[in-house]
């Protein structure tokens, strides 16, 4: 034994001997937790309040063409560089609620109760986390849908297949409705399993609601302080939003970068398998990010992890996200 370890050992003995009984260390036999705290997070934009309500995270097997114009190895490397499983796609989902002061507005609804059950609660958490945040879905005035992919519309329905927001006006982009609800467009998508699945799913959800929706156009104030911004490419009517109150502004980017979104922040020219018009999605992505940078506008991103409140900066030929500091008070 070296002098140092001998002294340390003696000091240890002395400390134990001198410790009063009341200070006996706790035994490590308390049960370990099997779930996280409910995930919701609030911040203010002027007098509007944003509540980000997590819908969950998935780690799914990744098709080789997950990025249409990059090799499987190139994509695997970016996952590995970000300390995620290289052969999988890790994706997170974060819808938001905006309390404008006069209206309670939900923007997108997550993967819904069926996925909640099938995934044993890993995704489709929006409705339970909403309740945990103290927000009663019966008191929601407006639900704004950005586009018709399942992770944004499935949560329109509750577990009983009825409206999850029975007192809300459901607002959808008119360009999105025109595309996905059109039988001619649906028949053109035959043979493409991704498109086919999305056409069928949109009908399943909106038919359950009796197709009772209000269509809105881009470039309009569709709720107090919430303006729709045309962002086509990911889907034909994909829409982002600017939430403005006083001198504060927030860009709600939704799926400008989608799926494992960080891939497309670093490599904005990469084309996600699920982008319907891939070159247009790339163009829209650069346009909106350049606008956010020029206007120094913070971003709320649907697929940016939780809470997904970030700023975007130029980084070489691409961009990088800088997460906002986690605020413990409002
Ligand atoms: Zn999405």
């Amino acid at each position: 034994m070296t002098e140092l370890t001998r002294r340390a050992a003696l000091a240890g003995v002395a400390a134990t001997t001198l410790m009063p009984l009341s200070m006996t260390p706790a035994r490590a036999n308390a049960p370990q937790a099997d779930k996280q705290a409910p995930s919701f997070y609030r911040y203010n934009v002027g007098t509007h309040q944003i509540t980000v309500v997590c819908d969950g995270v998935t780690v799914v097997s990744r098709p080789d063409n997950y990025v249409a114009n990059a090799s499987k190895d190139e994509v695997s490397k970016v996952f590995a560089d970000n300390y995620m499983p290289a052969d999988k796609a890790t994706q997170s989902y974060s819808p938001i609620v905006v309390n404008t002061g006069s209206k309670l507005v939900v923007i997108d609804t997550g993967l819904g109760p069926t996925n909640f059950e099938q995934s044993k609660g890993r995704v489709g958490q929006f409705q339970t986390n909403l309740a945990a945040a103290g927000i009663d879905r019966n008191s929601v005035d407006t639900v704004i849908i950005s586009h018709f992919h399942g992770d944004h519309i499935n949560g329109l329905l509750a577990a009983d297949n009825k409206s999850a927001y029975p007192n809300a006006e459901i607002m959808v982009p008119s360009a999105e409705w025109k595309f996905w609800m059109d039988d001619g467009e649906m028949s053109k998508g035959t043979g493409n399993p991704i498109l086919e699945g999305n056409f069928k799913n949109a009908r399943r959800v909106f038919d359950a609601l009796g197709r009772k929706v209000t269509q809105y156009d881009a470039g309009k104030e569709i709720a107090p302080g919430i303006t729709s911004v045309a962002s086509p490419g990911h889907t034909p009517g994909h829409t982002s939003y600017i939430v403005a109150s006083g001198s504060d502004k927030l860009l709600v980017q939704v799926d400008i970068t989608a799926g494992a979104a960080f891939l497309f922040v670093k490599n904005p020219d990469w084309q996600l398998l699920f982008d319907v018009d891939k070159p247009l999605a790339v163009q829209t992505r650069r346009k909106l990010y350049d606008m956010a940078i020029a206007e120094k506008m913070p971003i709320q991103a649907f697929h940016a992890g939780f809470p997904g409140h970030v700023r975007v900066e130029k980084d070489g030929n691409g961009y990088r996200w800088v997460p906002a500091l986690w605020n413990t008070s409002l």
Side-chain angles (χ1 to χ4, degrees):
M1 198 184 269
T2 64
E3 184 54 24
L4 196 66
T5 50
R6 198 179 67 86
R7 252 194 283 144
L10 285 173
V13 168
T16 311
T17 314
L18 292 174
M19 189 183 289
L21 275 178
S22 60
M23 284 179 67
T24 308
R27 301 292 172 231
N29 58 3
Q32 292 185 339
D34 61 359
K35 58 164 97 76
Q36 291 284 11
S39 306
F40 58 89
Y41 178 71
R42 291 196 170 102
Y43 61 94
N44 294 329
V45 177
T47 57
H48 281 37
Q49 184 161 81
I50 311 292
T51 306
V52 186
V53 181
C54 184
D55 192 51
V57 177
T58 49
V59 182
V60 294
S61 57
R62 196 181 78 231
D64 288 354
N65 61 344
Y66 187 78
V67 178
N69 57 347
S71 73
K72 184 187 172 191
D73 288 350
E74 284 174 292
V75 177
S76 296
K77 185 178 180 310
V78 184
F79 278 103
D81 287 349
N82 283 273
Y83 305 96
M84 294 179 201
D87 59 337
K88 302 249 175 2
T90 302
Q91 306 175 149
S92 59
Y93 309 84
S94 298
I96 62 170
V97 180
V98 186
N99 186 339
T100 71
S102 60
K103 296 265 182 212
L104 199 54
V105 180
V106 164
I107 302 183
D108 289 336
T109 60
L111 281 151
T114 309
N115 279 300
F116 182 81
E117 216 175 289
Q118 284 168 359
S119 70
K120 299 194 171 70
R122 274 186 298 114
V123 290
Q125 298 178 353
F126 184 66
Q127 289 175 20
T128 50
N129 279 334
L130 196 66
I135 299 171
D136 177 0
R137 57 191 173 85
N138 293 302
S139 64
V140 172
D141 297 294
T142 310
V143 179
I144 298 174
I145 293 294
S146 66
H147 68 293
F148 287 6
H149 280 156
D151 49 333
H152 301 260
I153 61 170
N154 287 358
L156 280 168
L157 301 177
D160 61 2
N161 214 39
K162 297 213 172 85
S163 175
Y165 307 94
N167 302 314
E169 178 182 25
I170 312 293
M171 300 188 73
V172 302
S174 52
E176 198 68 353
W177 188 268
K178 191 161 171 257
F179 179 73
W180 294 107
M181 303 309 277
D182 182 83
D183 292 342
E185 293 292 355
M186 181 153 116
S187 64
K188 277 192 248 167
T190 307
N192 177 328
I194 294 173
L195 283 179
E196 270 184 30
N198 285 323
F199 275 110
K200 282 188 194 142
N201 189 54
R203 281 144 206 267
R204 176 188 71 83
V205 171
F206 291 114
D207 284 346
L209 297 171
R211 300 199 176 200
K212 250 182 74 189
V213 299
T214 305
Q215 296 183 38
Y216 65 84
D217 293 326
K220 298 255 158 66
E221 188 177 5
I222 56 173
I226 304 177
T227 302
S228 53
V229 180
S231 319
H234 180 60
T235 62
H238 176 265
T239 306
S240 304
Y241 310 93
I242 291 177
V243 176
S245 173
S247 57
D248 285 356
K249 276 186 183 178
L250 172 77
L251 172 64
V252 180
Q253 69 149 56
V254 197
D255 282 15
I256 290 303
T257 46
F262 65 94
L263 293 177
F264 307 95
V265 176
K266 186 175 168 55
N267 302 286
D269 298 328
W270 280 9
Q271 300 173 350
L272 174 65
L273 171 65
F274 307 109
D275 289 341
V276 175
D277 183 335
K278 295 175 174 59
L280 183 58
V282 167
Q283 206 181 307
T284 296
R285 183 176 301 145
R286 285 195 175 276
K287 192 173 143 193
L288 261 82
Y289 277 4
D290 290 344
M291 178 194 76
I293 292 166
E295 298 196 16
K296 298 187 168 44
M297 210 186 306
I299 290 178
Q300 178 61 43
F302 192 91
H303 294 290
F306 182 78
H309 184 208
V310 299
R311 288 187 183 262
V312 68
E313 283 185 346
K314 272 297 242 185
D315 186 17
N317 186 41
Y319 303 90
R320 69 185 188 103
W321 278 334
V322 182
L325 189 70
W326 181 277
N327 255 323
T328 54
S329 57
L330 283 165

